[in-house]
């Protein structure tokens, strides 16, 4: 669990929810800085304002839903309104507090690596908002996918949003891809931290993958690709994953 000083993301969400305009700052280990005033707005967006691919992805949610890295809870809140039993999880205490203030009934402060079958069985795992990235790296992704299999029904789905890192011509991003490969990391394996006012998260790994890499990660796990939902005019896509058939 993040301490208050580390909970930059939570403070960002909480302040925006309480009508304080703000800007999200993402810092990459090579010194690249990205800022977005739209980030907080997107995190609290109502369904009618979502991108079309995100609306389409929600149609695959069934039964009991685990929303990993739920942020301000927009996906869980929508599914809760649709009658689903949705559990929102995040390692940010203030993000979870914001979810509760917005009306999400079931929440839990927990990092992705501590999710387990002790939490019960789920029919759907949501990893929206590019949150397939929370798997962090290739090896941990496979480990987590096996762990998720033990927490889900045989007919379960994972709804995983990510982004193809190779769809860029930016020299700074291409150089970072090479920097990663030189270290034996995947090209889209980012080392980031979030900054907001005086708050700074610890450094963490966040993984963007191409479709070929997604399928490589799935190989040898209990999960297989059902199909992709592509976003319009961006490298973002959603992978709908299902359990492999047991023989």
């Amino acid at each position: 669990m993040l301490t208050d000083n580390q909970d930059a993301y939570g403070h960002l969400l909480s302040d925006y929810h309480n009508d304080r305009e703000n800007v999200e700052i993402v810092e990459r280990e090579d010194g690249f800085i990205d800022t977005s005033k739209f980030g907080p707005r997107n995190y609290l967006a109502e369904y009618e304002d979502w991108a079309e691919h995100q609306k389409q992805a929600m149609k695959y949610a069934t039964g009991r839903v685990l929303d990993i890295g739920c942020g301000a809870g927009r996906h869980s809140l929508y599914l809760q309104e649709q009658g689903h039993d949705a559990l929102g999880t995040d390692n940010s205490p203030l993000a979870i507090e914001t979810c509760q203030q917005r009306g999400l009934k079931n929440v839990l402060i927990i990092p992705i690596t501590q999710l387990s079958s002790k939490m019960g069985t789920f029919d759907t795992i949501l990893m929206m908002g590019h949150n397939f990235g929370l798997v962090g790296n290739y090896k941990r992704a496979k480990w987590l996918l096996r762990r998720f299999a033990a927490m889900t029904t045989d007919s379960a789905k994972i709804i995983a949003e990510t982004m193809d890192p190779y769809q860029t011509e930016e020299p700074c991003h291409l150089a970072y891809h090479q920097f990663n490969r030189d270290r034996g990391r995947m090209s889209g394996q980012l080392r980031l931290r979030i900054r907001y006012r005086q708050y700074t998260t610890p450094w963490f790994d966040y993984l963007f993958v191409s479709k070929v890499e997604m399928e490589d990660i799935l190989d040898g796990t209990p999960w297989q690709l059902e199909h992709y939902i592509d976003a319009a005019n961006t490298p973002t896509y959603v992978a709908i994953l299902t359990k492999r058939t047991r023989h």
Side-chain angles (χ1 to χ4, degrees):
M1 189 175 77
L2 298 176
T3 66
D4 188 65
N5 286 336
Q6 295 173 331
D7 197 3
Y9 180 67
H11 279 280
L12 177 88
L13 295 179
S14 179
D15 280 0
Y16 193 84
H17 176 58
N18 290 295
D19 299 320
R20 184 174 189 171
E21 288 287 333
N22 50 32
V23 174
E24 180 179 30
I25 299 172
V26 181
E27 179 183 2
R28 199 168 64 192
E29 63 176 324
D30 62 340
F32 179 79
I33 301 288
D34 193 20
T35 63
S36 173
K37 64 181 179 181
F38 300 111
R41 184 190 309 169
N42 288 338
Y43 299 142
L44 282 79
E46 297 296 331
Y47 177 80
E48 56 266 24
D49 298 320
W50 295 5
E52 186 59 32
H53 74 278
Q54 295 173 333
K55 292 179 181 178
Q56 290 296 319
M58 290 300 99
K59 295 178 181 179
Y60 291 89
T62 61
R64 188 174 185 227
V65 179
L66 174 63
D67 185 0
I68 300 174
C70 63
R74 66 177 174 129
H75 301 104
S76 287
L77 282 164
Y78 169 75
L79 291 174
Q80 180 177 275
E81 289 168 6
Q82 301 302 307
H84 292 276
D85 177 8
L87 172 64
T89 66
D90 207 290
N91 70 341
S92 162
L94 271 175
I96 291 298
E97 184 177 306
T98 302
C99 286
Q100 291 174 308
Q101 291 172 355
R102 298 182 72 214
L104 187 58
K105 296 174 184 176
N106 301 317
V107 293
L108 187 63
I109 304 169
I110 188 171
I112 188 171
T113 52
Q114 292 181 21
L115 299 172
S116 76
S117 56
K118 294 177 182 177
M119 299 162 58
T121 304
F122 297 89
D123 302 288
T124 306
I125 291 181
L126 279 189
M127 305 182 81
M128 293 296 291
H130 294 128
N131 270 350
F132 184 76
L134 292 172
V135 298
N137 61 57
Y138 182 86
K139 183 178 179 181
R140 195 170 85 171
K142 286 180 174 287
W143 175 76
L144 283 167
L145 287 168
R146 288 191 293 270
R147 201 170 175 91
F148 295 162
M151 301 170 56
T152 49
T153 59
D154 288 343
S155 59
K157 284 182 168 59
I158 297 178
I159 304 172
E161 188 177 24
T162 184
M163 183 176 74
D164 185 340
Y166 302 102
Q167 293 187 38
T168 181
E169 296 178 359
E170 288 284 344
C172 61
H173 297 328
L174 296 174
Y176 186 71
H177 292 173
Q178 188 60 53
F179 177 51
N180 272 333
R181 290 192 292 270
D182 290 345
R183 297 183 290 166
R185 291 160 64 95
M186 294 184 73
S187 297
Q189 187 176 334
L190 313 180
R191 188 121 180 106
L192 306 172
R193 61 181 175 182
I194 309 299
R195 307 186 73 114
Y196 173 65
R197 298 177 69 83
Q198 73 268 38
Y199 309 103
T200 309
T201 69
W203 290 100
F204 61 95
D205 278 0
Y206 201 80
L207 185 64
F208 289 141
V209 293
S210 67
K211 292 176 179 177
V212 170
E213 290 170 335
M214 170 68 77
E215 289 165 35
D216 183 28
I217 287 171
L218 295 177
D219 188 40
T221 76
W223 300 93
Q224 62 186 353
L225 177 73
E226 180 175 281
H227 70 274
Y228 294 115
I229 304 171
D230 293 319
N233 305 314
T234 80
T236 293
Y237 65 92
V238 175
I240 306 297
L241 311 180
T242 59
K243 289 273 187 78
R244 296 183 190 276
T245 304
R246 296 176 182 175
H247 296 290

